[in-house]
Amino acid sequence: MLLAGVLTADRAAANTTLLTDSVKTTSKHAIVETDRTAWWEKARFGMFIHWGVYTIPAGVYNDKKIPGLGEWIMHDAKIPLDTYKAYAKQFNPTQYNPDEWVMMAKAAGMKYIVITTKHHDGFALFDSKASDWNVVKATPYGKDLIKPLADACRKQGMKLGFYYSQANDWTNPGGAAAGGHWDKAQDGSMDDYIDKVAIPQVKEILTKYGDVAELWWDVPTGMTKERAAKFLPIVAMQPNIITNDRLGGDVKGDLFTPEQYIPATGISGLWETCMTMNDTWGFKTTDHNWKSSQTLIRNLIETSSKGGNYLLNVGPEPTGKFPQPIVERLDAIGKWMKVNSESIYNTTPSPFKVLTWGRATTRHEANGNTTLYLHVYNWPTDGKLMVTGLQNEAISAKLLANGKALTTSKTDGNLYVNVPANASDENATVIKLLIKGKPDVTPFVPTQEADGTIALLPGYADMHAAQGGEAMRAEGGNEQNIGYWTDPKSSASWKFVVKKAGTYKVETAAASEKGTKITLKSGSETLNADVDATGGYGRYKKLTPGTFTFSAPGTYTISLASNTGTWNPVNVRKIILSPAN
């Protein structure tokens, strides 16, 4: 996957989502669903598989534990080519059972699989005529690993996609290496590598195995427009294929691919969050930091509630078996999906900006009414679930797990669902709520807390873009930030309620590689702040630009905009207002 500093990185887990501190600097996406992509948007859930020779060292080289991602060990430990290639002599996955893999994916509720046909180490899991560095010619196993998986997927009705590292290749001469080569045997012409290895291999994987559902490029180091353009006629050989946004050369693709995080408010267009179960993509014996089944289930819900797909990774052992923690988590997810998959498949994003007890997905019915699937994490103790701001008439409500009918009521402009004393599922209990018409939700406005503070989270903001420009985005989970602020003409604003008049101190935190200037405005007051160069988009520095005065209780607005002719991207965390006295 991606190298830290290239785009996103190996991120730390939050409770139900993952935090990103990255700023994307490529041009905006213009992705529109078509008949070709319709199946994908309904699917919502897929399996990512990272497998290769890197499973032999499995994170250890010369008796040292190598930090970082398992599949990056050759790069991170600067292993010479001859030494690394010798690992292939031990790669003999005699327990590989692709039918079992597909059955586990199906049982977990996954609708498609994407496997690494060739990762950055250049090792191909298929029989390739373009390079002898492949499973057939370089290992004692001596058989194509992709064909039997393609056959198993076809037999069981599972869609199959291929990951292919088109630019980074650390063993075939001329292939790129993020950060540069470390072995003279890697040197060569990148154009020759593209023409003689990458292009022929992509043609092989797109012509040998039948229909390919998705093509997953990765890390476009050195990919110019001219190099990227060479791949497009080959991709066109699969007219129904879906591609991601990582080919390079300004090729947009169909999917935006957040890595290891779930965008706080979703993304316009088609997007797919890819995520690991522990901290690495490829098998690593020293990584035991497994996310809980509950976290993974809630990540799937979170992604679906924001209109994206969840591509959850497994890293098989060199034998071909899935590690037991993966098997256990797939089984737990499958048990939840067996009961609740209706609330995930073929759903659209939540109409609510904030739900304190969980998340929601939506299905628009043919008769004009709407089904809301309420995924409740925090079960109400008073027997009443408040669906904040929902104005529609409720037609019916029931527990999805057992069909038990529930009653509803309305008070103070909020709809309430009367629920049993206890939740039926500790991961997420789903209530199926049918309402009349399209959702009519009163916009959420944050209100002053009892301690006097007002927290303006990025996820609460309204994002504004100039005509033809690109809006910034709310990112992250528990620690949100406004990111992707690459257009100086874009801005954000918050409405909020002040209960006690007075002067309020303004605090936030910002991160920028090169430094820039920002402006905060409320009414006739303006605060300007210099953002120092922090050395990275994940390195935040506290800002205290000044104070705002609110003369009476009521609803106010604060806006955030750029304030410089020379704009540099910046990430901004939540804005906190607190009484100055």
Tab-separated table of all heavy atoms in Angstrom, residues 86-110:
chain	number	residue	atom	x	y	z
A	86	ALA	N	15.772	-14.823	-2.828
A	86	ALA	CA	15.969	-16.157	-2.252
A	86	ALA	C	14.776	-16.574	-1.385
A	86	ALA	O	14.535	-17.774	-1.197
A	86	ALA	CB	17.257	-16.183	-1.423
A	87	TYR	N	14.033	-15.601	-0.874
A	87	TYR	CA	12.841	-15.937	-0.079
A	87	TYR	C	11.818	-16.722	-0.900
A	87	TYR	O	11.039	-17.513	-0.354
A	87	TYR	CB	12.169	-14.667	0.447
A	87	TYR	CG	12.906	-13.974	1.569
A	87	TYR	CD1	13.193	-12.609	1.494
A	87	TYR	CD2	13.286	-14.667	2.718
A	87	TYR	CE1	13.847	-11.957	2.525
A	87	TYR	CE2	13.952	-14.016	3.756
A	87	TYR	CZ	14.233	-12.654	3.643
A	87	TYR	OH	14.889	-12.019	4.667
A	88	ALA	N	11.821	-16.508	-2.206
A	88	ALA	CA	10.843	-17.184	-3.064
A	88	ALA	C	11.012	-18.699	-3.023
A	88	ALA	O	10.045	-19.446	-3.237
A	88	ALA	CB	10.960	-16.680	-4.503
A	89	LYS	N	12.215	-19.156	-2.717
A	89	LYS	CA	12.461	-20.600	-2.650
A	89	LYS	C	11.728	-21.242	-1.462
A	89	LYS	O	11.576	-22.457	-1.414
A	89	LYS	CB	13.963	-20.868	-2.548
A	89	LYS	CG	14.744	-20.393	-3.785
A	89	LYS	CD	16.236	-20.566	-3.605
A	89	LYS	CE	16.996	-20.041	-4.819
A	89	LYS	NZ	18.474	-20.131	-4.628
A	90	GLN	N	11.291	-20.404	-0.516
A	90	GLN	CA	10.545	-20.911	0.641
A	90	GLN	C	9.040	-20.692	0.504
A	90	GLN	O	8.274	-21.122	1.368
A	90	GLN	CB	11.031	-20.204	1.912
A	90	GLN	CG	12.515	-20.341	2.203
A	90	GLN	CD	12.933	-19.483	3.395
A	90	GLN	OE1	12.362	-19.588	4.488
A	90	GLN	NE2	13.927	-18.625	3.186
A	91	PHE	N	8.638	-20.026	-0.558
A	91	PHE	CA	7.219	-19.699	-0.731
A	91	PHE	C	6.529	-20.885	-1.405
A	91	PHE	O	6.630	-21.084	-2.609
A	91	PHE	CB	7.066	-18.428	-1.572
A	91	PHE	CG	5.639	-17.915	-1.640
A	91	PHE	CD1	5.048	-17.322	-0.543
A	91	PHE	CD2	4.901	-18.027	-2.805
A	91	PHE	CE1	3.741	-16.844	-0.602
A	91	PHE	CE2	3.593	-17.562	-2.881
A	91	PHE	CZ	3.013	-16.964	-1.773
A	92	ASN	N	5.831	-21.675	-0.597
A	92	ASN	CA	5.222	-22.900	-1.097
A	92	ASN	C	3.850	-23.095	-0.429
A	92	ASN	O	3.698	-23.904	0.495
A	92	ASN	CB	6.137	-24.093	-0.804
A	92	ASN	CG	5.663	-25.355	-1.503
A	92	ASN	OD1	4.946	-25.302	-2.509
A	92	ASN	ND2	6.053	-26.506	-0.976
A	93	PRO	N	2.838	-22.336	-0.876
A	93	PRO	CA	1.529	-22.319	-0.190
A	93	PRO	C	0.683	-23.555	-0.478
A	93	PRO	O	-0.358	-23.493	-1.148
A	93	PRO	CB	0.884	-21.048	-0.745
A	93	PRO	CG	1.486	-20.888	-2.100
A	93	PRO	CD	2.895	-21.381	-1.991
A	94	THR	N	1.099	-24.678	0.054
A	94	THR	CA	0.416	-25.947	-0.228
A	94	THR	C	-0.969	-26.038	0.412
A	94	THR	O	-1.752	-26.922	0.068
A	94	THR	CB	1.284	-27.116	0.267
A	94	THR	OG1	1.590	-26.925	1.656
A	94	THR	CG2	2.588	-27.190	-0.524
A	95	GLN	N	-1.260	-25.137	1.359
A	95	GLN	CA	-2.582	-25.142	1.988
A	95	GLN	C	-3.535	-24.114	1.363
A	95	GLN	O	-4.630	-23.890	1.879
A	95	GLN	CB	-2.446	-24.873	3.492
A	95	GLN	CG	-1.663	-25.951	4.231
A	95	GLN	CD	-1.609	-25.675	5.729
A	95	GLN	OE1	-2.635	-25.644	6.401
A	95	GLN	NE2	-0.413	-25.472	6.244
A	96	TYR	N	-3.105	-23.533	0.272
A	96	TYR	CA	-3.940	-22.561	-0.431
A	96	TYR	C	-5.211	-23.231	-0.942
A	96	TYR	O	-5.165	-24.204	-1.681
A	96	TYR	CB	-3.139	-21.984	-1.602
A	96	TYR	CG	-3.897	-21.067	-2.535
A	96	TYR	CD1	-4.705	-20.037	-2.056
A	96	TYR	CD2	-3.765	-21.225	-3.915
A	96	TYR	CE1	-5.368	-19.195	-2.927
A	96	TYR	CE2	-4.420	-20.377	-4.797
A	96	TYR	CZ	-5.225	-19.361	-4.295
A	96	TYR	OH	-5.881	-18.521	-5.173
A	97	ASN	N	-6.361	-22.701	-0.515
A	97	ASN	CA	-7.651	-23.240	-0.920
A	97	ASN	C	-8.544	-22.073	-1.333
A	97	ASN	O	-9.261	-21.501	-0.506
A	97	ASN	CB	-8.288	-24.028	0.225
A	97	ASN	CG	-9.567	-24.728	-0.201
A	97	ASN	OD1	-10.236	-24.315	-1.151
A	97	ASN	ND2	-9.915	-25.801	0.510
A	98	PRO	N	-8.509	-21.677	-2.606
A	98	PRO	CA	-9.272	-20.498	-3.041
A	98	PRO	C	-10.773	-20.641	-2.847
A	98	PRO	O	-11.461	-19.647	-2.596
A	98	PRO	CB	-8.896	-20.350	-4.515
A	98	PRO	CG	-8.369	-21.684	-4.923
A	98	PRO	CD	-7.737	-22.267	-3.714
A	99	ASP	N	-11.293	-21.863	-2.963
A	99	ASP	CA	-12.728	-22.052	-2.707
A	99	ASP	C	-13.071	-21.685	-1.264
A	99	ASP	O	-14.105	-21.068	-1.001
A	99	ASP	CB	-13.125	-23.499	-2.986
A	99	ASP	CG	-13.118	-23.819	-4.472
A	99	ASP	OD1	-13.932	-23.238	-5.199
A	99	ASP	OD2	-12.282	-24.642	-4.893
A	100	GLU	N	-12.184	-22.045	-0.355
A	100	GLU	CA	-12.405	-21.726	1.058
A	100	GLU	C	-12.317	-20.216	1.280
A	100	GLU	O	-13.109	-19.645	2.037
A	100	GLU	CB	-11.362	-22.446	1.912
A	100	GLU	CG	-11.579	-22.312	3.402
A	100	GLU	CD	-10.559	-23.114	4.190
A	100	GLU	OE1	-9.365	-22.715	4.214
A	100	GLU	OE2	-10.937	-24.136	4.777
A	101	TRP	N	-11.367	-19.551	0.611
A	101	TRP	CA	-11.250	-18.100	0.711
A	101	TRP	C	-12.553	-17.425	0.285
A	101	TRP	O	-13.070	-16.549	0.971
A	101	TRP	CB	-10.124	-17.591	-0.184
A	101	TRP	CG	-8.737	-17.784	0.330
A	101	TRP	CD1	-8.345	-18.582	1.367
A	101	TRP	CD2	-7.564	-17.163	-0.174
A	101	TRP	NE1	-6.989	-18.506	1.528
A	101	TRP	CE2	-6.480	-17.642	0.600
A	101	TRP	CE3	-7.303	-16.267	-1.197
A	101	TRP	CZ2	-5.177	-17.225	0.369
A	101	TRP	CZ3	-6.012	-15.840	-1.434
A	101	TRP	CH2	-4.947	-16.322	-0.655
A	102	VAL	N	-13.067	-17.838	-0.854
A	102	VAL	CA	-14.273	-17.212	-1.386
A	102	VAL	C	-15.466	-17.495	-0.474
A	102	VAL	O	-16.300	-16.610	-0.229
A	102	VAL	CB	-14.553	-17.690	-2.828
A	102	VAL	CG1	-15.859	-17.090	-3.360
A	102	VAL	CG2	-13.397	-17.294	-3.746
A	103	MET	N	-15.542	-18.710	0.046
A	103	MET	CA	-16.643	-19.041	0.951
A	103	MET	C	-16.589	-18.182	2.211
A	103	MET	O	-17.631	-17.739	2.711
A	103	MET	CB	-16.610	-20.534	1.309
A	103	MET	CG	-17.113	-21.432	0.194
A	103	MET	SD	-17.318	-23.165	0.703
A	103	MET	CE	-15.611	-23.689	0.829
A	104	MET	N	-15.379	-17.919	2.741
A	104	MET	CA	-15.254	-17.080	3.930
A	104	MET	C	-15.664	-15.644	3.621
A	104	MET	O	-16.320	-14.983	4.442
A	104	MET	CB	-13.828	-17.136	4.477
A	104	MET	CG	-13.548	-18.381	5.302
A	104	MET	SD	-11.998	-18.273	6.252
A	104	MET	CE	-10.811	-18.593	4.962
A	105	ALA	N	-15.283	-15.164	2.449
A	105	ALA	CA	-15.671	-13.808	2.051
A	105	ALA	C	-17.190	-13.702	1.927
A	105	ALA	O	-17.805	-12.749	2.421
A	105	ALA	CB	-14.995	-13.427	0.736
A	106	LYS	N	-17.799	-14.708	1.285
A	106	LYS	CA	-19.255	-14.697	1.123
A	106	LYS	C	-19.961	-14.777	2.469
A	106	LYS	O	-20.947	-14.069	2.711
A	106	LYS	CB	-19.697	-15.866	0.242
A	106	LYS	CG	-19.416	-15.697	-1.234
A	106	LYS	CD	-20.026	-16.806	-2.056
A	106	LYS	CE	-21.534	-16.700	-2.126
A	106	LYS	NZ	-22.122	-17.674	-3.065
A	107	ALA	N	-19.464	-15.636	3.343
A	107	ALA	CA	-20.091	-15.800	4.653
A	107	ALA	C	-19.997	-14.524	5.482
A	107	ALA	O	-20.861	-14.256	6.326
A	107	ALA	CB	-19.443	-16.967	5.404
A	108	ALA	N	-18.954	-13.719	5.233
A	108	ALA	CA	-18.800	-12.446	5.945
A	108	ALA	C	-19.685	-11.355	5.361
A	108	ALA	O	-19.782	-10.269	5.939
A	108	ALA	CB	-17.340	-12.002	5.909
A	109	GLY	N	-20.313	-11.644	4.217
A	109	GLY	CA	-21.185	-10.657	3.585
A	109	GLY	C	-20.507	-9.826	2.529
A	109	GLY	O	-21.071	-8.834	2.047
A	110	MET	N	-19.293	-10.216	2.132
A	110	MET	CA	-18.554	-9.464	1.121
A	110	MET	C	-19.063	-9.808	-0.270
A	110	MET	O	-19.422	-10.949	-0.544
A	110	MET	CB	-17.058	-9.768	1.242
A	110	MET	CG	-16.456	-9.244	2.539
A	110	MET	SD	-14.910	-10.045	2.974
A	110	MET	CE	-14.260	-8.904	4.206
